[in-house]
Amino acid sequence: MKQEELLDTVLAQADALRAMLAASARALQDFSRRLELILSQDHKKIAVRDTAFAEDFSSFCVSLRQDTDAKLDYWQQARTQLRSGTGKEGYALALGVKSFVSRAKTLSRACDELTTAYDYFNRFYKNYTLTKLPVWLLTSCCDDLSNLTGKILFLSRELAKKTEKIRGY
């Protein structure tokens, strides 16, 4: 696969990862809202109406773990392939690399939103004692996604520097 084609695939995967992060952040915000309501009902000694919360949250965590593992595998291979490029295609890749840098920054912001939603969820979870939730799975996913986003951001900057050096800027 040529570097140009690889870069196009990487751009599409970066958009897919950003969409996954944004959807996960929205879902986590919804779980936070539900958990806050459950805690309020429990505190007021009212019967908890949201009986599916634990099951929904568990399935969300398992699904997020599977998606995260798939993304980690893809990006590990893509990073290796992008770093081992020929380096002679600097002029042809300049615009694509700039687009990759922009998308990596957007991806980083989406990861920050997920981290914020995770922190907000944890504020409520520390008072939750009704059932055991797989928060450890959510924590590991958030950490892995944060690390992956940092690596993608670093890779994009590295490719931009390499491309600018080849072009003579």
Side-chain angles (χ1 to χ4, degrees), residues 90-160:
Y91 290 107
L93 296 178
L95 187 59
V97 168
K98 285 184 180 186
S99 179
F100 183 44
V101 169
S102 175
R103 290 182 189 181
K105 288 177 183 176
T106 306
L107 180 64
S108 178
R109 279 187 231 111
C111 187
D112 289 344
E113 289 175 11
L114 178 64
T115 302
T116 301
Y118 170 73
D119 290 341
Y120 187 72
F121 178 82
N122 276 336
R123 283 184 28 208
F124 296 112
Y125 175 70
K126 66 181 179 183
N127 298 323
Y128 184 73
T129 57
L130 298 177
T131 58
K132 185 153 177 74
L133 297 175
V135 174
W136 61 272
L137 194 56
L138 178 63
T139 302
S140 74
C141 289
C142 288
D143 289 344
D144 288 348
L145 289 169
S146 180
N147 290 336
L148 176 63
T149 302
K151 289 176 183 177
I152 292 170
L153 193 57
F154 181 79
L155 176 66
S156 70
R157 291 176 181 156
E158 182 182 352
L159 288 176

Side-chain angles (χ1 to χ4, degrees), residues 12 49 67 75 79 93 95 129:
R49 295 181 191 114
D67 292 344
W75 280 102
R79 286 177 35 233
L93 296 178
L95 187 59
T129 57

Side-chain angles (χ1 to χ4, degrees), residues 10 13 29 36 42-43 62 85 90 102 121 140 155:
V10 164
Q13 287 295 322
Q29 289 169 349
E36 184 179 13
D42 185 48
H43 180 71
V62 168
S102 175
F121 178 82
S140 74
L155 176 66

Side-chain angles (χ1 to χ4, degrees), residues 5 7 11 15 25 27 29-30 38 42 57 60 64 66 73 77 79 87 89 91 95 111-112 124 156 166 168-169:
E5 295 168 351
L7 194 57
L11 292 173
D15 286 341
Q29 289 169 349
D30 183 52
I38 289 170
D42 185 48
F57 183 76
F60 166 73
L64 183 62
Q66 291 170 346
D73 291 342
Q77 294 171 357
R79 286 177 35 233
E89 302 171 333
Y91 290 107
L95 187 59
C111 187
D112 289 344
F124 296 112
S156 70
I166 291 170
Y169 288 128

Side-chain angles (χ1 to χ4, degrees), residues 10-83:
V10 164
L11 292 173
Q13 287 295 322
D15 286 341
L17 180 57
R18 182 192 50 75
M20 184 192 91
L21 288 171
S24 297
R26 282 191 304 273
L28 199 50
Q29 289 169 349
D30 183 52
F31 282 119
S32 296
R33 183 189 52 76
R34 289 171 65 184
L35 184 59
E36 184 179 13
L37 186 60
I38 289 170
L39 288 172
S40 174
Q41 290 170 352
D42 185 48
H43 180 71
K44 294 176 183 175
K45 306 288 188 220
I46 299 172
V48 175
R49 295 181 191 114
D50 193 354
T51 57
F53 177 77
E55 185 178 318
D56 292 347
F57 183 76
S58 295
S59 66
F60 166 73
C61 289
V62 168
S63 173
L64 183 62
R65 181 76 258 171
Q66 291 170 346
D67 292 344
T68 300
D69 287 343
K71 299 295 183 190
L72 288 172
D73 291 342
Y74 170 78
W75 280 102
Q76 183 177 4
Q77 294 171 357
R79 286 177 35 233
T80 303
Q81 289 176 342
L82 283 171
R83 284 195 172 121

